[in-house]
């Protein structure tokens, strides 16, 4: 069976992004590689390795590029959480930016929240008990 392995996002400061995803979001730095010839560095972060069925995030730093136009085509990453209320408190306490406080979606009962990484990418936190029910 096929498996979603990772989502790649371009970042303007790799160390700042690694710190956010590991210290603020609680992920692990799984591996990092540098390509001097083509001037880029990759870092893979996640809650577990792809080999265990987990999807991870590939942080791509193109040397010398400090920011990107995020455009309007990309929406967000989504992470299931046991308690989005406590998680948002912990994220805020660690210096993270909560952009939508935890609560039900408009017109529904699924509880969600949104946070933003240092490059402006949106991350949706979804209360795990509702993940299999679909949003609504």
């Amino acid at each position: 069976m096929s498996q979603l392995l990772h989502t790649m996002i371009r970042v303007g400061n790799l160390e700042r992004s690694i710190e956010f995803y590991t210290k603020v979001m609680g992920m692990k730095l799984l591996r990092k590689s540098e390509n001097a010839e083509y001037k880029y560095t990759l870092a893979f972060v996640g809650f577990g390795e792809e080999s265990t069925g987990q999807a991870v995030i590939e942080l791509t730093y193109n040397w010398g590029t400090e920011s990107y136009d995020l455009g309007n085509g990309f929406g967000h990453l989504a992470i299931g959480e046991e308690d989005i209320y406590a998680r948002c408190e912990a994220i805020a306490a660690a210096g993270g930016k909560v952009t939508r406080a935890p609560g039900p979606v408009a017109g529904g009962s699924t509880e969600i929240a949104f946070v933003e990484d240092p490059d402006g990418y949106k991350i949706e936190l979804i209360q795990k008990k509702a993940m299999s029910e679909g949003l609504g």
Side-chain angles (χ1 to χ4, degrees), residues 13-15 21 44 109 117:
N13 180 314
L14 186 59
E15 295 310 314
Y21 283 98
F44 290 80
S109 59
D117 86 352

Side-chain angles (χ1 to χ4, degrees), residues 43-60:
F44 290 80
V45 295
F47 297 109
E49 294 281 353
E50 296 100 324
S51 62
T52 66
Q54 300 280 331
V56 304
I57 301 170
E58 174 188 333
L59 304 173
T60 298

